[in-house]
């Protein structure tokens, strides 16, 4: 209940007063809201993961597309459905983030320096693909569409995408990063 007030009033006041703000939360909505609201300040976000076999790892998550791609890597060779479901969700998130970052890059190249990823906060992958289509090589919107269709079951009760489908989608996204971002 206190999240909106804290994010929209308390944090900006502290920052305006010159106070360094460090927020630790398990609330994903808070994380996303703060990352979007304060993106213009080049804030850093991290995820702390505890694994009983390997210990604690800290991963930077504020790098957007690249960070999401890195989070997919550990799931790529897993044959079990639960990790593949997680991977398919991350692949879809990465595809959405790629589209958003490409749209922002294009707008900024055209002089819109106020363009932000958060401008596309409520956009779904299907709509984003339509918007980035003119910015891509002719064969690449189809690759994004394949990701949209094949990775969607991971978010629902339908069968989880195969490990090979996830690897192919991840490969497409890595090439998009190399070629466009």
């Amino acid at each position: 209940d206190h999240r909106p007030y804290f994010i929209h009033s308390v944090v900006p006041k502290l920052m305006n007063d010159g106070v360094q703000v460090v927020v630790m939360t398990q609330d994903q909505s808070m994380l996303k809201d703060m990352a979007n609201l304060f993106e213009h300040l080049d804030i850093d976000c991290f995820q702390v993961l505890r694994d009983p076999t390997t210990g604690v790892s800290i991963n930077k998550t504020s790098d957007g597309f690249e960070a999401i791609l890195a989070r997919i890597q550990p799931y790529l060779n897993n044959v079990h459905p639960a990790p593949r479901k997680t991977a398919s969700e991350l692949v879809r998130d990465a595809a959405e983030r790629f589209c958003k970052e490409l749209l922002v890059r294009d707008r900024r190249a055209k002089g819109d320096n106020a363009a932000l990823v958060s401008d596309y906060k409520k956009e779904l992958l299907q709509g984003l693909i339509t918007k980035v289509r003119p910015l891509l090589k002719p064969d690449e919107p189809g690759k994004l569409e394949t990701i949209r269709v094949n990775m969607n079951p991971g978010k629902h009760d339908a069968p989880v995408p195969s490990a090979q489908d996830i690897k192919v989608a991840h490969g497409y996204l890595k090439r998009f990063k190399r070629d466009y971002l």
Side-chain angles (χ1 to χ4, degrees), residues 15-127:
M15 290 190 303
N16 287 338
D17 290 347
V19 176
Q20 180 181 8
V21 179
V22 177
V23 177
M24 294 185 74
T25 182
Q26 63 186 30
D27 180 348
Q28 291 301 306
S29 294
M30 177 180 260
L31 172 67
K32 288 177 184 177
D33 287 350
M34 289 186 71
N36 288 328
L37 286 170
F38 304 115
E39 177 183 51
H40 65 286
L41 299 174
D42 198 27
I43 66 169
D44 286 323
C45 297
F46 298 87
Q47 182 177 38
V48 179
L49 299 170
R50 186 174 132 339
D51 184 318
T53 58
T54 60
V56 174
S57 64
I58 300 173
N59 301 310
K60 187 173 181 180
T61 60
S62 54
D63 291 336
F65 180 64
E66 191 170 334
I68 298 170
L69 278 182
R71 286 198 306 270
I72 297 167
Q73 195 68 40
Y75 299 102
L76 286 179
N77 295 314
N78 204 305
V79 297
H80 299 289
R84 287 196 339 262
K85 180 176 181 173
T86 300
S88 70
E89 291 171 358
L90 288 170
V91 166
R92 193 172 171 92
D93 290 347
E96 289 177 357
R97 185 61 185 225
F98 164 74
C99 291
K100 292 173 183 179
E101 288 186 18
L102 187 60
L103 290 167
V104 167
R105 180 176 285 216
D106 180 61
R107 285 176 49 198
R108 287 183 179 170
K110 293 175 180 172
D112 182 0
N113 293 327
L116 297 170
V117 168
S118 60
D119 295 343
Y120 303 98
K121 186 176 186 175
K122 296 184 180 189
E123 297 273 346
L124 299 175
L125 185 54
Q126 186 170 3

Side-chain angles (χ1 to χ4, degrees), residues 118-161:
S118 60
D119 295 343
Y120 303 98
K121 186 176 186 175
K122 296 184 180 189
E123 297 273 346
L124 299 175
L125 185 54
Q126 186 170 3
L128 291 166
I129 293 170
T130 301
K131 289 180 179 179
V132 299
R133 186 175 292 277
L135 306 175
L136 300 172
K137 297 173 193 166
D139 66 326
E140 293 180 335
K143 293 174 183 173
L144 281 171
E145 188 63 27
T146 300
I147 290 171
R148 183 187 73 80
V149 171
N150 289 345
M151 297 301 114
N152 201 42
K155 287 196 171 272
H156 304 290
D157 292 332
V160 176

